[in-house]
C-alpha cells in the first residue's frame, strides 16, 4: 500500500480504520519486519496486532487500539504511545524504556518483567494490570490509575507516583528515597521494600502507612489477616463442590462488599455473580467453601491454562 507523508515529514498509515478511526501509525520504526507487520495490521481493521519480539523503536502508535494484541518481548523503546489502548495485551518482557504512554489504557494488560525505565505513564490507566517483576525505575506515573493492579517485585526506585490512585492494589514494590509518592492515595496490600544506602528493608502495615504519609501520600494499608474473605463454589449441571464450574470470593471493605471470581486470566477479577444471584437474576447455584478448597481450584485452573496438566 502507498504510505503518504503528512506535514512535517510524519508518516501517516491509516489503512482501513476501525469504527473509532484509531487504526493509524503516525511514524514507522526502522526495522523492516516490524514495518511490514504494521502495514498489514493497518490494512485489516479486525486483526490483532502481533509484534512479539519485533523492534518498534521510535514508532508512533498514538491513539491506536491494539487491545488483545501480542507484544511480548517487543522493543518499543522511545515509542510514542499517547492514548494508545493496550486492553488485555500480552506485553511480557516488552521493552518500553523512554516510551511516552501518557493517558494510555493498560487495563488488564500483562507486563510481567517488562522494562519501563524512564517511561512516561502520566494519567495512564493500569487497572488490574499485572507487573510482576517489571522495572519502572525512573518512570513517571503522575495521576496514573493503579486500581487493582498486581505490583509485585515491581521496581519503582526514582519513579514519580504523584497523585496516582490505588484500590486494593498489591503494592509489594521496591522504592527508594527518590521515589515520589506525594498525593498517592487509596488502599493497598504490602509489604513494600525500601532501598536506602545499598541496603533493603521490608516495610508493611502501619509502618508502611506512616512511611507513605510522611512523604505526602494518603494510603490505607489493608491487613491481609483481616480481609474477611468468604469463598463460594459455583455448582450444578454436573459440577459438584469438589469440581466446581467456578470460584467466587467476597470481601467487605468499609462495609462495602467487593466480589471477585478467579478467571482464566489467572487472576481475581470483579464479578457481579453474587449480586445478580441475590437479586434472582441467574440460576447458577453456589455453596460456601474453605480457602483451602478455593486454593485447590486456583491451582487446577492454572495448571490447565498453562498446559501443566
Amino acid at each position: 500500500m502507498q504510505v503518504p507523508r503528512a506535514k512535517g515529514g510524519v508518516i501517516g498509515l491509516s489503512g482501513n480504520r476501525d469504527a473509532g478511526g484509531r487504526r493509524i501509525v503516525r511514524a514507522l520504526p526502522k526495522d523492516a519486519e516490524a514495518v511490514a507487520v504494521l502495514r498489514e495490521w493497518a490494512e485489516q481493521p479486525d486483526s490483532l496486532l502481533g509484534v512479539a519480539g519485533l523492534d518498534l523503536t521510535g514508532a508512533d502508535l498514538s491513539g491506536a487500539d491494539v487491545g488483545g494484541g501480542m507484544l511480548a518481548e517487543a522493543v518499543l523503546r522511545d515509542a510514542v504511545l499517547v492514548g494508545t489502548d493496550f486492553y488485555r495485551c500480552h506485553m511480557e518482557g516488552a521493552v518500553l524504556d523512554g516510551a511516552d504512554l501518557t493517558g494510555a489504557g493498560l487495563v488488564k494488560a500483562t507486563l510481567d518483567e517488562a522494562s519501563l525505565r524512564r517511561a512516561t505513564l502520566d494519567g495512564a490507566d493500569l487497572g488490574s494490570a499485572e507487573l510482576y517483576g517489571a522495572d519502572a525505575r525512573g518512570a513517571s506515573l503522575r495521576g496514573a490509575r493503579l486500581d487493582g493492579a498486581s505490583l509485585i517485585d515491581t521496581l519503582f526506585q526514582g519513579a514519580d507516583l504523584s497523585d496516582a490512585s490505588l484500590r486494593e492494589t498489591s503494592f509489594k514494590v521496591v522504592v527508594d528515597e527518590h521515589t515520589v509518592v506525594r498525593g498517592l492515595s487509596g488502599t493497598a496490600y504490602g509489604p513494600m521494600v525500601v532501598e536506602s544506602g545499598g541496603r533493603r528493608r521490608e516495610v508493611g502495615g502501619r509502618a508502611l502507612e506512616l512511611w507513605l504519609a510522611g512523604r505526602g501520600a494518603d494510603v490505607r494499608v489493608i491487613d491481609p489477616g483481616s480481609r474477611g474473605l468468604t469463598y463460594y463454589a459455583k455448582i450444578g449441571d454436573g459440577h459438584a463442590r469438589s469440581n466446581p464450574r467456578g470460584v467466587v470470593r467476597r470481601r467487605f471493605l468499609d462495609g462495602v462488599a467487593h466480589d471477585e471470581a478467579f478467571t482464566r486470566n489467572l487472576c481475581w477479577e470483579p464479578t457481579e455473580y453474587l449480586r445478580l444471584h441475590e437479586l434472582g437474576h441467574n440460576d447458577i447455584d453456589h455453596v460456601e467453601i474453605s480457602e483451602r478448597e478455593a486454593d485447590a481450584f486456583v491451582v487446577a485452573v492454572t495448571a490447565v491454562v498453562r498446559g501443566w496438566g
Side-chain angles (χ1 to χ4, degrees):
M1 66 182 283
Q2 185 176 0
V3 181
R5 283 191 177 273
K7 293 181 180 180
V10 178
I11 299 176
L13 191 154
S14 58
N16 296 318
R17 298 187 184 185
D18 60 13
R22 294 173 293 179
R23 178 149 289 188
I24 183 170
V25 178
R26 301 177 188 279
L28 294 166
K30 294 182 178 179
D31 182 77
E33 184 178 358
V35 169
V37 172
L38 287 174
R39 287 177 183 273
E40 182 177 359
W41 170 74
E43 293 172 348
Q44 300 177 17
D46 297 324
S47 65
L48 296 178
L49 181 62
V51 291
L54 297 185
D55 187 351
L56 283 78
T57 297
D60 186 343
L61 291 167
S62 294
D65 181 357
V66 298
M70 180 61 69
L71 292 87
E73 299 185 357
V75 178
L76 289 149
R77 188 178 287 110
D78 298 321
V80 182
L81 306 164
V82 177
T84 304
D85 187 356
F86 293 97
Y87 178 68
R88 286 190 183 278
C89 276
H90 284 276
M91 305 172 74
E92 299 93 331
V95 178
L96 293 137
D97 297 344
D100 187 353
L101 292 115
T102 301
L106 292 148
V107 175
K108 297 185 179 179
T110 304
L111 289 143
D112 297 346
E113 299 185 350
S115 183
L116 293 148
R117 299 188 68 172
R118 302 176 306 283
T120 300
L121 294 108
D122 297 345
D125 190 347
L126 291 97
S128 299
E130 297 181 21
L131 290 94
Y132 293 92
D135 185 350
R137 287 178 286 180
S140 179
L141 294 99
R142 298 172 64 89
R145 293 178 292 282
L146 299 162
D147 302 344
S150 295
L151 306 175
I152 300 177
D153 295 331
T154 307
L155 304 181
F156 276 141
Q157 295 99 315
D160 188 347
L161 296 164
S162 299
D163 301 316
S165 68
L166 309 172
R167 185 175 67 83
E168 296 188 46
T169 301
S170 295
F171 201 64
K172 300 179 180 182
V173 302
V174 181
V175 302
D176 62 12
E177 295 298 329
H178 300 290
T179 303
V180 181
V181 295
R182 187 179 303 106
L184 178 68
S185 63
T187 58
Y189 298 103
M192 182 178 75
V193 173
V194 178
E195 185 177 82
S196 179
R199 305 182 67 177
R200 292 186 173 188
R201 62 188 177 92
E202 191 173 274
V203 181
R206 181 59 177 162
L208 174 53
E209 287 185 354
L210 293 174
W211 191 95
L212 293 169
R215 291 158 178 79
D218 182 16
V219 175
R220 185 166 69 84
V221 177
I222 304 170
D223 180 2
S226 61
R227 293 184 183 183
L229 285 171
T230 304
Y231 295 90
Y232 302 92
K234 295 181 182 180
I235 58 176
D237 293 335
H239 290 274
R241 175 173 179 157
S242 59
N243 180 36
R245 60 194 302 172
V247 165
V248 179
R249 68 184 184 185
R250 167 166 284 182
R251 173 195 300 117
F252 281 93
L253 185 62
D254 293 334
V256 179
H258 297 272
D259 301 334
E260 300 171 309
F262 191 77
T263 71
R264 292 183 70 84
N265 292 318
L266 303 185
C267 62
W268 291 96
E269 300 183 310
T271 179
E272 293 295 318
Y273 164 76
L274 290 174
R275 298 182 195 278
L276 292 174
H277 189 277
E278 291 164 356
L279 293 171
H281 293 324
N282 66 46
D283 298 324
I284 302 174
D285 207 354
H286 60 268
V287 61
E288 185 174 340
I289 59 174
S290 67
E291 183 176 12
R292 179 170 295 182
E293 289 174 291
D295 288 342
F297 176 82
V298 169
V299 170
V301 172
T302 301
V304 171
V305 172
R306 293 185 173 173
W308 295 342

